[in-house]
Amino acid sequence: MINTERIRQVIRERRNELITLTKDLIKFKSISGKEDDISEYIQDFFKSIDFYVRSIDKNIITCEKRENKDAKLILNGHMDVVPAGSFWDYPPFDPQITDGKIYGRGSCDMKGGLASMMTAIKVLHDLGIDMGSDIVFTATVEEEIGGLNGTGRIIDYLNGDMCVIAEPTDLNICIGHKGSNIYEITVKGKSAHGSMPHLGKNAIYYASRMIVALEDFKFDIEDSLLGKPTINVGKITGGTEVNVVPDRCIFEVDRRTIPEEDGESVFYELNRIIDREKVDGVGIDVKKVIEMLPVKVSEDEKVVKLLKKSTKEVFGYEKPTTSIDGCTDARFFIDRKIPTVIFGPGKKDCAHVSNEFINIEDLIDASSSFASLILNVIKEE
């Protein structure tokens, strides 16, 4: 009889396959925009088990059988990683195993999640479980830089009852996260000789006042799950030479939003805060770079209930629901009315850091949970 316990046993017996797959994925230096090789690898993985595979600009859509009907469950993950940076104890793209952990860029975010999903699907296929086109796996590009060319590119080709994204959640069930609106603010002053600053309008000074005003702003709204909105000024550039009064300063704002807000009101509020610091002779231009919607699904959604059931079968107890701080591609699915949760292996505070790692036991538990979820979705039918 094929049940969660049997599947968990098989995945544990084949742990070396899961470890090897995770390490293979980490070896690809798939910085956003450079996912060609890892995309081919994943396509070959599914072609080797005779799955139908479709590639759209390096994005992958695959299922066991090609049928003209909506999926019951979409499994999603991204193939790209952020640059490795410095100060690693281990080579970031040459994964090493130490103390039950695999170290390497992307191990946590989110090649461990991809490998867990891929292994779950392969194990079920090898055990003779008929997934047909009810279970669809997608691997996408450029999530780390907004996802428009990734999940945003293929969402029109997808429809289904529910979706799970394998971002790192420490194997808790994430039912929401804040949105992120990125704005670029250009402050236009007047140049002058550095020895006669009174003849100019120092754009850096006025930008600094605006930045302090943003830092001091207090929010009076709060979401019961996601908390209060936040503002962060993450980048600033200005000036040409030290002996010249700068006539231009540009800074970028990351405004994290909650479902109680909308893009128009957020944009108006940002302009209102900045305009308080405006003076004659200084121009301000506020440009919206990207708007990523917040995500929040009900605990009553089928995908949440099924994932709770599956985690109880694997862990002996239902994993709790929670939220995460960062944005994900869930917003694309939510916008298409596909209830979506985030669930995957990896510590949330381990993503994007030096010496990024994933626990091998978490990979096994994640793969077992995904397999159990797939089985429960099929049984529902």
Side-chain angles (χ1 to χ4, degrees):
M1 178 181 177
I2 305 298
N3 55 24
T4 296
E5 185 57 37
R6 171 61 179 148
I7 292 169
R8 183 171 172 78
Q9 177 187 349
V10 173
I11 290 174
R12 187 164 290 279
E13 289 171 353
R14 295 168 58 170
R15 60 180 281 146
N16 287 338
E17 293 181 34
L18 176 54
I19 292 170
T20 299
L21 176 58
T22 304
K23 291 174 67 177
D24 283 351
L25 295 178
I26 293 170
K27 290 176 184 176
F28 290 102
K29 195 174 181 179
S30 54
I31 309 299
S32 303
K34 299 180 180 179
E35 301 94 336
D36 301 72
D37 292 341
I38 190 173
S39 176
E40 288 185 15
Y41 178 94
I42 294 175
Q43 290 178 58
D44 290 342
F45 176 93
F46 284 102
K47 288 176 182 177
S48 72
I49 56 174
D50 297 323
F51 267 48
Y52 163 71
V53 178
R54 182 175 186 180
S55 174
I56 302 172
D57 296 338
K58 297 179 289 186
N59 298 289
I60 300 165
I61 303 174
T62 183
C63 54
E64 195 173 47
K65 298 174 185 175
R66 183 178 183 180
E67 298 173 9
N68 187 26
K69 64 176 183 177
D70 294 341
K72 300 301 177 187
L73 171 65
I74 300 169
L75 300 174
N76 173 268
H78 64 86
M79 299 177 283
D80 63 318
V81 298
V82 297
S86 306
F87 310 114
W88 284 74
D89 295 331
Y90 307 93
F93 296 103
D94 182 13
Q96 308 291 316
I97 297 179
T98 302
D99 297 328
K101 302 172 182 176
I102 305 175
Y103 285 84
R105 172 55 84 222
S107 54
C108 170
D109 184 13
M110 57 166 289
K111 291 176 178 178
L114 281 175
S116 298
M117 282 183 165
M118 292 164 66
T119 298
I121 292 170
K122 187 175 188 301
V123 165
L124 291 176
H125 175 76
D126 292 347
L127 289 173
I129 301 298
D130 182 8
M131 291 172 279
S133 61
D134 288 332
I135 310 301
V136 172
F137 173 81
T138 59
T140 60
V141 304
E142 298 187 17
E143 187 274 345
E144 298 290 2
I145 55 174
L148 293 177
N149 292 324
T151 300
R153 172 73 175 85
I154 65 171
I155 193 65
D156 288 339
Y157 299 89
L158 298 170
N159 202 11
D161 294 343
M162 65 191 86
C163 175
V164 176
I165 300 177
E167 293 276 12
T169 65
D170 204 12
L171 294 173
N172 292 316
I173 302 168
C174 171
I175 59 173
H177 61 67
K178 293 173 184 173
S180 177
N181 290 8
I182 307 298
Y183 300 96
E184 181 184 88
I185 294 94
T186 300
V187 182
K188 304 171 185 176
K190 179 183 177 183
S191 62
H193 196 284
S195 65
M196 297 176 285
H198 59 284
L199 297 180
K201 293 284 187 181
N202 191 313
I204 291 178
Y205 286 167
Y206 291 104
S208 298
R209 296 176 189 177
M210 297 169 194
I211 291 169
V212 170
L214 291 171
E215 180 186 14
D216 291 341
F217 184 75
K218 306 298 181 185
F219 292 98
D220 58 6
I221 57 173
E222 185 171 0
D223 183 84
S224 58
L225 174 70
L226 305 177
K228 290 186 176 183
T230 61
I231 294 178
N232 180 65
V233 177
K235 185 178 179 182
I236 183 169
T237 57
T240 56
E241 298 291 342
V242 68
N243 60 349
V244 177
V245 175
D247 64 355
R248 181 177 296 265
C249 183
I250 301 172
F251 62 96
E252 296 179 36
V253 175
D254 182 354
R255 172 66 158 80
R256 300 286 163 150
T257 61
I258 58 177
E260 289 79 358
E261 302 178 289
D262 61 71
E264 184 178 347
S265 64
V266 170
F267 186 75
Y268 171 79
E269 179 185 71
L270 179 69
N271 276 275
R272 184 169 56 86
I273 299 169
I274 289 173
D275 282 345
R276 292 174 184 167
E277 309 302 322
K278 186 176 180 180
V279 298
D280 290 341
V282 174
I284 303 172
D285 179 54
V286 181
K287 174 185 175 184
K288 182 172 70 175
V289 178
I290 191 170
E291 181 177 348
M292 295 182 277
L293 299 174
V295 168
K296 187 177 180 182
V297 299
S298 169
E299 295 204 34
D300 293 328
E301 289 286 357
K302 182 188 288 189
V303 63
V304 179
K305 292 180 177 179
L306 285 173
L307 198 46
K308 283 185 175 182
K309 177 182 178 182
S310 299
T311 55
K312 185 174 183 178
E313 292 172 352
V314 171
F315 297 96
Y317 63 94
E318 291 181 358
K319 281 288 185 170
T321 54
T322 184
S323 63
I324 58 174
D325 295 317
C327 283
T328 74
D329 279 348
R331 68 188 188 281
F332 293 110
F333 295 100
I334 295 293
D335 193 49
R336 292 294 296 268
K337 312 301 181 187
I338 302 173
T340 301
V341 298
I342 303 101
F343 173 86
K347 308 292 183 185
K348 292 185 288 185
D349 58 359
C350 191
H352 298 190
V353 303
S354 298
N355 296 323
E356 181 181 352
F357 69 86
I358 192 82
N359 283 302
I360 292 173
E361 283 300 313
D362 287 349
L363 290 175
I364 295 170
D365 288 338
S367 192
S368 300
S369 298
F370 290 131
S372 177
L373 175 64
I374 293 169
L375 203 60
N376 283 323
V377 168
I378 293 172
K379 286 180 180 176
E380 278 269 313
E381 277 302 293

